[in-house]
Amino acid sequence: MTFLARAATRTGRLAKQRLNQPSSSSSSSSSPKRFYSPEVKTSSVPGPISKKVLSEIDRLTDARPSIVAVDYARCRGNYLVDADGNRHLDMFGQIASIAIGYRNERLEELAGSEEFRIAVMNRPALGVFPPKGLKELLETGLMSVRPKGLDHILTANCGSTANESAYKAACMAYRHRERGHSEFDQDEITSCMENAKPGSPQLTIMSFKSGFHGRLFASLSTTRSKPIHKLDIPAFDWPAVDWPRLKYPLEQNVSENQAEVERCLALVEETIHESKAKGRPVAALVVEPIQSEGGDNHAPPAFFRGLRDVTKRLGVYMIVDEVQTGVGATGSFWAHEKWGLTTPPDIVTFSKKMQAAGYYHTAEMRPSAGYRNFNTWMGDPARSMQARTIIQYIQENGLVEKTAEVGGKLYGVLEQLGHRFPGLIQSLRGKGEGTFIAFDAETAEKRDSIVSGLRNVGVLVGASGERAVRLRPMLIFGEKELDIFSDKFQAVLKDLA
Ligand SMILES: Cc1ncc(COP(=O)(O)O)c(C=O)c1O
């Protein structure tokens, strides 16, 4: 065999291995080092270098929420390396935003391509000067995973702007339907410039208490997870209704939980009627499949089917916010796929793991004229390329199915630990929802001790709601990582018990 033939065979073999083993341990050509476990070199996390770097950053920009300073060049797969050289098994994934690992080899290949370089360096005003290959880019990427029934897309800049644009689309469609045509009358044209009705109508977007949909003005008005996000900010006077408070374990509280779901559905219907009677009709209802920032509050598929029935019947559009749940972590590509809806939602928003943001929508949600839902960038073709590679990698490696499987095992481990440490693991949530798993500790203090205890042994997890620990591993989190987490977590729990 010639040298070239040998090299070609080796390259082919390596490519095959990479595809068959998408776990954290796969190395990239720029770094042959393999990571198998966390390693904490400092006496606690953050270590001294991180602390120093963060205090320097803080002089320029607010670094108070920062956990550690990161050495991104040294991060690989499931592992984040901080400025002190500590290596963490990252089960928080940049607030649930990493799908296929740090420095993924396919993304690095994309980053080195001319197509990507041109896109990054020549970011277009997408709505007015789209690149000529945009249709193909969307079709082979973002649109290839569009939720059933939603054949259109609008790209945006982040989760909040995706939701804000979705709310606008729903309001425009609502008024268009009411009016029966797309022409505006003079009164509307004049009054909108005064922020007054009828041009600026008193439509509302309904949301759920303890939900989270972003931090801009409209999205923040529909966010009710924590006061810290909302204080001092003027808000739209929009209705929010109770989210079903399920009792755990679910198997032992079936009838109570069913009654709670029915109570909340009745409240939704009642509130839609009340709002209309007050001259503030509900244009859209926005809902997360799992209330994530609010503490991983789940509801059964029957609740969502009920919401679709009520919204359809009362002419309210339904926006499903899959910013955090989308892209595989729940064991299906979209969390709402599992609900068995008879008609699709009107809009599904996405961001985070997709690395590109926006929403999928029905034809009805397209505004009556161009420029009505618009901004300069409207997303970024480079991010859509990144999304395309992420989607392809997920599909080629069966990562949604793998996440469903390893998630089941992760849930099983936590269930066992919950029996042994009942003060530290309660109301375990996420059975059958992939690795999208959370639990409560008895108190917020105990929760914080779990999060910092894990951090000090090199495992990053998130906190949310009042006393929840949430796990948001990447889709490349496998059995090996599960074993490591399980060992580390047991040690932390023993220390705290
Ligand atoms: C469900 C949900 N919607 C919207 C957002 C807002 O996204 P972003 O922070 O990108 O604006 C988040 C962020 O955590 C989220 O979890």
Side-chain angles (χ1 to χ4, degrees):
M1 199 186 262
T2 64
F3 170 75
L4 278 178
R6 270 202 312 274
T9 313
R10 199 171 56 236
T11 312
R13 212 171 41 229
L14 278 177
K16 220 167 175 177
Q17 273 172 11
R18 277 205 313 249
L19 285 182
N20 290 339
Q21 297 177 348
S23 83
S24 59
S25 55
S26 56
S27 59
S28 84
S29 54
S30 57
S31 169
K33 189 167 166 64
R34 288 176 166 258
F35 290 156
Y36 289 111
S37 60
E39 187 184 0
V40 176
K41 300 168 174 173
T42 53
S43 57
S44 62
V45 175
I49 302 177
S50 255
K51 280 187 186 153
K52 183 168 176 289
V53 171
L54 294 181
S55 81
E56 283 165 3
I57 293 174
D58 194 58
R59 272 183 237 138
L60 302 178
T61 186
D62 192 355
R64 285 171 296 180
S66 304
I67 295 165
V68 288
V70 181
D71 188 346
Y72 283 101
R74 295 177 65 199
C75 298
R76 290 288 185 285
N78 284 289
Y79 286 91
L80 177 147
V81 177
D82 69 26
D84 289 275
N86 297 319
R87 196 163 60 227
H88 307 262
L89 174 61
D90 189 354
M91 295 176 68
F92 195 30
Q94 306 287 329
I95 324 182
S97 292
I98 309 280
I100 60 174
Y102 293 107
R103 303 211 52 189
N104 175 281
E105 62 274 10
R106 289 280 290 281
L107 288 173
E108 300 241 328
E109 258 167 47
L110 172 70
S113 70
E114 188 174 12
E115 179 193 29
F116 192 76
R117 256 195 332 267
I118 292 171
V120 167
M121 293 304 164
N122 300 278
R123 187 175 184 177
L126 195 67
V128 279
F129 294 108
K132 67 183 167 96
L134 185 63
K135 174 179 168 278
E136 289 70 26
L137 171 60
L138 292 175
E139 276 175 353
T140 52
L142 288 167
M143 288 306 280
S144 70
V145 288
R146 67 187 179 276
K148 212 166 147 218
L150 306 186
D151 293 332
H152 303 264
I153 190 167
L154 180 137
T155 51
N157 301 324
C158 64
S160 299
T161 54
N163 283 337
E164 297 263 337
S165 302
Y167 298 173
K168 283 172 58 184
C171 290
M172 291 179 208
Y174 192 94
R175 285 291 294 136
H176 183 82
R177 195 181 62 198
E178 264 190 343
R179 228 186 257 117
H181 54 81
S182 57
E183 301 306 317
F184 307 106
D185 64 27
Q186 194 50 50
D187 197 13
E188 287 174 313
I189 290 169
T190 315
S191 58
C192 79
M193 298 307 286
E194 308 289 336
N195 290 351
K197 53 182 191 180
S200 301
Q202 292 199 312
L203 294 176
T204 59
I205 306 291
M206 183 159 119
S207 60
F208 286 95
K209 291 179 186 167
S210 58
F212 186 98
H213 301 287
R215 298 159 187 267
L216 302 180
F217 278 88
S219 48
L220 191 60
S221 291
T222 54
T223 284
R224 314 271 177 153
S225 53
K226 282 191 193 135
I228 190 78
H229 307 318
K230 293 176 73 71
L231 284 160
D232 294 339
I233 316 294
F236 286 107
D237 180 14
W238 289 349
V241 288
D242 291 352
W243 178 263
R245 288 284 149 204
L246 301 184
K247 286 208 172 129
Y248 290 83
L250 295 176
E251 312 76 65
Q252 288 167 30
N253 295 283
V254 174
S255 55
E256 246 176 305
N257 286 338
Q258 197 179 329
E260 172 65 354
V261 162
E262 279 162 18
R263 181 185 75 80
C264 293
L265 282 174
L267 211 53
V268 168
E269 180 152 2
E270 209 177 293
T271 309
I272 294 172
H273 286 304
E274 266 174 27
S275 255
K276 191 156 194 171
K278 285 189 215 154
R280 311 174 54 73
V282 179
L285 166 79
V286 61
V287 62
E288 292 163 89
I290 298 165
Q291 286 193 329
S292 310
E293 297 299 307
D296 271 31
N297 309 315
H298 290 245
F303 176 64
F304 298 101
R305 285 197 296 272
L307 290 181
R308 177 73 286 201
D309 290 347
V310 176
T311 51
K312 216 47 198 167
R313 192 157 34 83
L314 302 182
V316 169
Y317 296 116
M318 182 168 173
I319 301 171
V320 177
D321 179 347
E322 291 245 28
V323 165
Q324 190 150 163
T325 49
V327 194
T330 64
S332 52
F333 199 91
W334 301 108
H336 79 271
E337 281 168 35
K338 295 189 194 128
W339 300 343
L341 296 182
T342 46
T343 45
D346 299 281
I347 292 181
V348 172
T349 62
F350 62 88
S351 185
K352 289 200 183 267
K353 282 194 180 56
M354 198 71 103
Q355 291 288 316
Y359 63 84
Y360 299 97
H361 63 96
T362 59
E364 194 182 348
M365 292 296 119
R366 178 190 281 236
S368 60
Y371 278 119
R372 296 195 69 199
N373 222 349
F374 183 88
N375 85 318
T376 307
W377 280 336
M378 303 199 64
D380 181 353
R383 294 295 170 187
S384 294
M385 285 174 196
Q386 204 173 334
R388 181 182 58 190
T389 300
I390 290 169
I391 291 164
Q392 288 169 353
Y393 190 90
I394 290 173
Q395 289 173 339
E396 285 163 13
N397 293 285
L399 293 185
V400 177
E401 298 74 16
K402 284 184 182 160
T403 297
E405 205 181 315
V406 77
K409 292 179 183 163
L410 175 59
Y411 185 93
V413 166
L414 290 165
E415 198 170 33
Q416 292 301 318
L417 290 174
H419 296 312
R420 282 173 57 199
F421 303 98
L424 296 169
I425 300 179
Q426 303 180 341
S427 301
L428 182 60
R429 311 188 274 292
K431 190 173 191 175
E433 298 285 358
T435 53
F436 209 101
I437 293 174
F439 56 87
D440 288 339
E442 209 166 35
T443 61
E445 292 71 34
K446 285 188 181 176
R447 183 272 309 275
D448 294 344
S449 306
I450 291 175
V451 174
S452 61
L454 279 169
R455 194 179 293 160
N456 286 333
V457 295
V459 178
L460 298 175
V461 298
S464 64
E466 282 165 28
R467 53 195 173 95
V469 174
R470 62 173 155 162
L471 306 182
R472 294 291 177 271
M474 304 165 196
L475 306 187
I476 55 166
F477 180 91
E479 306 261 339
K480 197 164 58 208
E481 289 77 24
L482 172 57
D483 285 347
I484 290 168
F485 168 71
S486 167
D487 286 351
K488 298 272 177 200
F489 193 30
Q490 282 191 56
V492 168
L493 292 170
K494 274 188 202 154
D495 262 9
L496 294 175

